[in-house]
């Protein structure tokens, strides 16, 4: 259903949420070695069978992307991370019909002290 573009993951792209619970706010850059609560996990690209990017399709794609980024199963992602996505609508790929979204994970249990990239199940025990 999708591919994960590992080269699209910028190293150390951590963010610190400055908004409120309503979902509006900013995500300024933060150090992945300091307190942060959001990380860019990668780009999810829809397969040819996907005609429309619904919220359910985006969520499923980003869930798979985040699980691969962290190194845990998709079910381990549930309840541990809130998923956000953005659509690169101005990009030439998107305009040519390639359906993709950028996927972000957000810690629901407080600030992360290090990147969760390839952290595996230890990140679940450390913060869960």
């Amino acid at each position: 259903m999708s591919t994960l573009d590992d080269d699209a993951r910028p190293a150390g792209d951590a963010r610190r949420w400055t908004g409120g619970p309503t979902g509006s706010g900013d995500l300024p850059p933060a150090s992945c070695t300091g307190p942060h609560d959001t990380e860019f996990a990668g780009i999810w690209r829809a397969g040819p069978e996907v005609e429309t990017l619904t919220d359910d399709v985006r969520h499923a794609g980003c869930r798979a992307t985040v699980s691969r980024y962290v190194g845990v199963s998709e079910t381990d992602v549930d309840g541990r991370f809130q998923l956000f996505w953005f659509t690169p609508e101005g990009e030439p790929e998107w305009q040519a019909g390639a359906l993709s979204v950028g996927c972000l994970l957000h810690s629901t249990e407080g600030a992360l002290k290090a990147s969760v990239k390839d952290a595996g199940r230890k990140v679940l025990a450390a913060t869960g």
Side-chain angles (χ1 to χ4, degrees):
M1 180 172 172
S2 68
T3 61
L4 177 65
D5 185 353
D6 291 324
D7 295 332
R9 291 192 227 163
D13 190 15
R15 302 289 169 153
R16 184 84 174 143
W17 177 248
T18 62
T22 61
S24 61
D26 292 320
L27 283 171
S31 169
C32 280
T33 59
H36 66 283
D37 48 22
T38 306
E39 288 186 31
F40 176 71
I43 301 288
W44 174 79
R45 287 181 170 71
E49 73 283 1
V50 176
E51 294 180 17
T52 305
L53 284 180
T54 65
D55 281 346
D56 287 343
V57 169
R58 287 181 182 106
H59 186 270
C62 282
R63 183 178 183 230
T65 299
V66 167
S67 74
R68 289 183 64 186
Y69 177 79
V70 177
V72 297
S73 72
E74 290 184 30
T75 56
D76 285 335
V77 169
D78 296 336
R80 174 59 187 94
F81 298 112
Q82 186 174 6
L83 306 179
F84 295 103
W85 51 81
F86 61 91
T87 305
E89 294 177 2
E91 298 296 319
E93 257 185 42
W94 180 268
Q95 293 173 345
L99 302 179
S100 62
V101 294
C103 302
L104 300 152
L105 65 86
H106 178 79
S107 172
T108 59
E109 299 175 10
L112 302 167
K113 295 177 177 66
S115 175
V116 297
K117 183 176 189 227
D118 298 324
R121 294 194 53 82
K122 71 180 178 183
V123 74
L124 303 174
T127 57

